[in-house]
Amino acid sequence: MRYKFIFWRFSSLVFRNSLWLRSAHQYRTRQEQKQGDAPSKGNNVGTEFKYDLRFGLLHYSDQFTTYSIFNSRDALLRWAREQGKLNNIVIVIKRSDYGGEGKRRPRVILACERNGNYKSCKYSETTDIRSDANSDMKKCARDTGTKKCGCPFLLKGVNIGDGDDWKLEVVCGVHNHPISEYLQGHSFVGRLTEEENALLVDMSKSLVKPRDILVTIKDRDAMNVSTMKTIYNARIQNRTKEFDGRTQMQQLLTKLSEHNYIEWHMTSGDIVTDLFWTHPTNIYIVRAFPHVLIMDCTYKTNRYRFPLLQIVGVTSTNMTFSVAYVYMNAEKEDNYTWALTALRSLLDDNCLPGVIVTDRELSSM
C-alpha cells in the first residue's frame, strides 16, 4: 500500500507539472503572436517570460522591471496594475507602511492575488443543516475553496528623496501557478474606477439599461474586464448610499418634495395605504384639454403589489399626456373615491372632464 501511495503522489505531481508547462507554452505562443502583430514602442520593460522546468515556476521579473521614477504612490500602483493586466496577473496590496520617525521611509508591498494561504475561520468551518422539517439540526462541514496557493511573487515600492517620488523593485518575480488566460470574473481587477462609477450613476438616472452601461464602459476602456454582476452591485451600492438610511417610502416622498410634485397620501396608523402625486405642469395641460380622461390600473409595478392607477388626458391633436398617478391599497370604491376627490380639488369648475373612459371596473364605475 505504501508503494501504491508513493506512485500515486508521484503521478499527480507529474500531471500537475505538465498542466503548468502546457499553460505556459500556450501563453508564450499568444505573447509571441501579439508581439508579431503589434509594433514595438521602445519601452524599458521586457516582454518575454521564462519557465523553469525544474520546479514548474513562471518568471515575470522582466515585465515589472523599470527604472522610471513615479511622482506619487498612486502612479506607481496604477503602473503596476496596468502591467499586471497586460500579463493577465492581478496585483493587490499585501502590506502598506506610511513610514514614521527616524529613517524608515514609506513603502508598499504588492503581491499576486494568489499570494498567501487560506486561513479558515472556526465559525465558518461548519454549517447547520436538517434533512426535513421535523429532524434536528446537524453540523456539516462546509465545502469551501480558495484561490490562494502561496504564490511568492512580490513587488516593493519605496519612497525616495524628500518629496513624493517612488521607485519600484522586484523582490520575487516567480509565480508557482499557471497564469489565467482571461481576467473576466476576477472581482478585484473588475472594479470600477471613480470616473466609471460616476458615468454609471449618470446613465442610471437616465434609465439606461445595465447591459448598455456595460457596453459604454467597455467602449471607453478596452482593458476593462467588468461583468454584469459588477454593474448590478454598483447600482445597488449607489442606491443604498442615496437612500442615506431612509426607507423606500421615505425616499419616494423626499424625491417628490425635491422635484416640486403635488402629493397627498392616506395612512392607516404609521402605514401609507394610498398615494396620489402629479406635477404642476400636468395640471396646466389638463386645464387646457379637460374634455377626455382615460383611467386604468396596472399591476406588478412594486413589491407590495399595490395597483397603480394612471390617469391620462387627450389633446386636440389626439396626443396623450399623463395627468396623475395613484398607488391604491385595493381597487375598492373608497379608494377610487379618494383618488378622484384629490384630482377634483386640482381642477376648476369650468374645466371638468366631459368624458371619462375606463374598463368595466365596477368600483371605478
Side-chain angles (χ1 to χ4, degrees):
M1 294 296 294
R2 182 179 180 183
Y3 294 106
K4 291 183 178 179
F5 176 75
I6 294 175
F7 177 75
W8 176 80
R9 288 290 298 170
F10 178 76
S11 302
S12 63
L13 290 175
V14 172
F15 177 72
R16 190 176 303 174
N17 196 11
S18 64
L19 290 179
W20 289 343
L21 181 60
R22 184 176 62 180
S23 177
H25 176 70
Q26 293 175 353
Y27 184 81
R28 184 171 185 177
T29 303
R30 291 196 305 271
Q31 290 294 103
E32 292 176 352
Q33 293 176 355
K34 291 180 181 178
Q35 293 175 12
D37 297 339
S40 59
K41 297 182 180 180
N43 55 9
N44 59 349
V45 179
T47 56
E48 295 183 356
F49 72 92
K50 301 177 183 179
Y51 186 82
D52 196 331
L53 296 176
R54 296 173 297 172
F55 306 104
L57 302 176
L58 288 169
H59 293 269
Y60 277 84
S61 300
D62 296 340
Q63 281 78 355
F64 293 90
T65 300
T66 178
Y67 303 101
S68 302
I69 302 299
F70 303 95
N71 55 9
S72 66
R73 179 176 179 268
D74 294 337
L76 183 144
L77 294 175
R78 194 181 309 114
W79 184 89
R81 286 169 177 166
E82 288 178 356
Q83 286 300 119
K85 279 188 177 182
L86 293 175
N87 296 277
N88 289 350
I89 302 173
V90 181
I91 304 297
V92 298
I93 299 177
K94 181 180 181 180
R95 187 169 61 254
S96 182
D97 185 4
Y98 289 93
E101 298 180 356
K103 298 182 179 180
R104 189 177 63 181
R105 293 186 175 277
R107 63 189 60 202
V108 57
I109 305 299
L110 306 178
C112 174
E113 67 168 350
R114 304 190 68 175
N115 177 270
N117 297 310
Y118 174 69
K119 297 179 181 179
S120 62
C121 179
K122 61 181 180 179
Y123 298 106
S124 62
E125 291 178 352
T126 60
T127 183
D128 297 331
I129 63 171
R130 63 174 66 191
S131 57
D132 53 62
N134 298 323
S135 63
D136 298 332
M137 301 294 291
K138 298 180 180 180
K139 294 289 185 178
C140 179
R142 297 183 60 183
D143 185 13
T144 59
T146 179
K147 66 176 68 173
K148 296 184 178 295
C149 62
C151 179
F153 181 83
L154 282 180
L155 303 174
K156 182 174 69 173
V158 183
N159 177 256
I160 58 176
D162 298 332
D164 198 18
D165 294 334
W166 290 71
K167 69 175 182 178
L168 184 66
E169 301 175 358
V170 179
V171 179
C172 179
V174 173
H175 292 271
N176 64 348
H177 58 87
I179 302 301
S180 301
E181 187 173 358
Y182 304 102
L183 290 180
Q184 280 78 5
H186 291 260
S187 58
F188 183 83
V189 74
R191 294 179 181 177
L192 300 177
T193 62
E194 294 182 359
E195 294 79 7
E196 292 172 344
N197 194 30
L199 177 64
L200 182 142
V201 172
D202 294 338
M203 297 184 70
S204 298
K205 290 181 179 179
S206 302
L207 303 180
V208 180
K209 295 181 179 180
R211 62 186 181 188
D212 296 331
I213 296 177
L214 181 61
V215 171
T216 303
I217 292 176
K218 287 185 177 294
D219 288 341
R220 289 170 173 256
D221 183 9
M223 299 294 294
N224 184 278
V225 292
S226 301
T227 60
M228 287 298 300
K229 187 64 176 178
T230 306
I231 304 299
Y232 289 135
N233 291 341
R235 284 162 59 94
I236 293 175
Q237 291 177 0
N238 293 323
R239 191 179 300 115
T240 303
K241 187 185 300 183
E242 185 181 5
F243 278 17
D244 195 17
R246 295 186 292 265
T247 62
Q248 291 183 347
M249 181 56 68
Q250 293 173 345
Q251 178 70 6
L252 175 59
L253 296 178
T254 301
K255 288 297 182 181
L256 291 176
S257 176
E258 289 179 358
H259 296 278
N260 300 322
Y261 275 81
I262 301 173
E263 173 267 326
W264 287 297
H265 59 270
M266 184 168 55
T267 60
S268 176
D270 295 336
I271 301 175
V272 177
T273 58
D274 296 78
L275 177 64
F276 174 96
W277 76 93
T278 185
H279 197 270
T281 304
N282 299 341
I283 301 303
Y284 297 150
I285 299 176
V286 75
R287 287 176 179 175
F289 304 99
H291 308 291
V292 179
L293 293 183
I294 304 173
M295 298 188 306
D296 193 14
C297 281
T298 184
Y299 309 93
K300 298 181 180 180
T301 61
N302 56 90
R303 67 174 63 182
Y304 307 105
R305 298 186 178 182
F306 280 11
L308 175 63
L309 175 64
Q310 184 178 10
I311 304 175
V312 179
V314 182
T315 65
S316 58
T317 57
N318 295 328
M319 301 291 292
T320 58
F321 62 93
S322 297
V323 177
Y325 296 90
V326 186
Y327 269 129
M328 300 188 301
N329 186 25
E331 292 186 87
K332 296 182 179 180
E333 186 175 348
D334 295 338
N335 302 93
Y336 279 107
T337 301
W338 179 83
L340 294 178
T341 301
L343 178 62
R344 174 65 179 83
S345 63
L346 298 174
L347 302 178
D348 300 332
D349 294 336
N350 56 353
C351 61
L352 295 179
V355 177
I356 296 180
V357 181
T358 182
D359 56 0
R360 192 178 180 275
E361 177 62 41
L362 298 180
S363 300
S364 177
M365 293 172 62

